[in-house]
């Protein structure tokens, strides 16, 4: 019997991160991206602040953003710490992904909701997208690499002081085989029944 639980459990267990550099450049239809955004919008939200925001890049805008990101990395990393492979990875990610969703947290002014809870609500929205992407057989990664969490990125994205980048979601397709699920700590060791 195929219950709703079986369906969602299969999607949750099957989801695996795919690096943007392992994507193949194939384009996702915009309607699919819109479907994912509508799932994000159903995340739980304390005080109904709905703090998730999305900036979506595709096509030439994504490639331009990749160049800006790579340049930002290069210019803001001390010479002895710069890694060419890292810079090239940022460029390649923008070449191979279909879409980049920059997910940010919009801090509600004068909110009684703790910052951590607004961040948590956005993280739940991100997971909704990742699960929807799995159900649509898309490749996806939640990345905070490169300059994603650096103050220079906030400036580039014109975020206000209290707002935060929560993740860069690269979406696309891949030709690579799916990795097996791997968890280091068993669920029993993370659980205490009382
Ligand atoms: C907040 C957050 C940030 C992440 N940032 C990166 C990243 O910058 N680069 C990366 O390769 N993976 C990143 N990941 C993905 C993890 O590497 C991945 O979830 C982990 O390896 C487990 O694999 P799975 O997603 O396939 O279960 C991030 C995940 C989270 C939750």
């Amino acid at each position: 019997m195929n219950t709703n639980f079986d369906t969602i459990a299969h999607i949750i267990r099957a989801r695996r991160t795919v690096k943007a550099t392992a994507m193949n450049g194939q384009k996702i239809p915009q309607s699919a991206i819109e479907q994912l955004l509508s799932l994000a919008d159903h995340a739980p939200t304390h005080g109904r602040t709905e703090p998730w925001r999305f900036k979506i890049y595709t096509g030439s805008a994504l490639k331009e953003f990749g160049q800006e990101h790579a340049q930002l990395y290069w210019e803001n990393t001390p010479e002895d710490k710069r890694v060419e492979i890292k810079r090239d990875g940022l460029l390649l990610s923008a070449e191979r992904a279909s879409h980049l969703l920059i997910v940010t947290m919009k801090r509600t002014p004068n909110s009684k909701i703790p910052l951590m809870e607004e961040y948590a609500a956005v993280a739940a929205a991100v997971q909704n997208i990742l699960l929807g992407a799995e159900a649509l057989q898309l490749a996806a990664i939640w990345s905070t690499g490169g300059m994603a969490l650096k103050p220079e990125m906030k400036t580039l994205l014109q975020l206000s002081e209290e707002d935060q980048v929560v993740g860069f979601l690269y979406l696309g397709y891949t030709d690579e085989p799916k990795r097996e699920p791997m968890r280091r700590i068993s669920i029993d060791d993370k659980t205490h029944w009382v």
Side-chain angles (χ1 to χ4, degrees), residues 15-19 119 130 140-146 166-167 179-184:
R15 182 206 59 79
R16 289 279 74 78
T17 293
V18 176
K19 300 242 181 216
Y119 183 91
L130 294 179
I141 181 168
W142 176 355
S143 169
T144 50
V166 174
R179 283 184 298 108
E180 288 299 311
M182 196 278 280
R183 286 297 179 255
R184 276 194 260 270

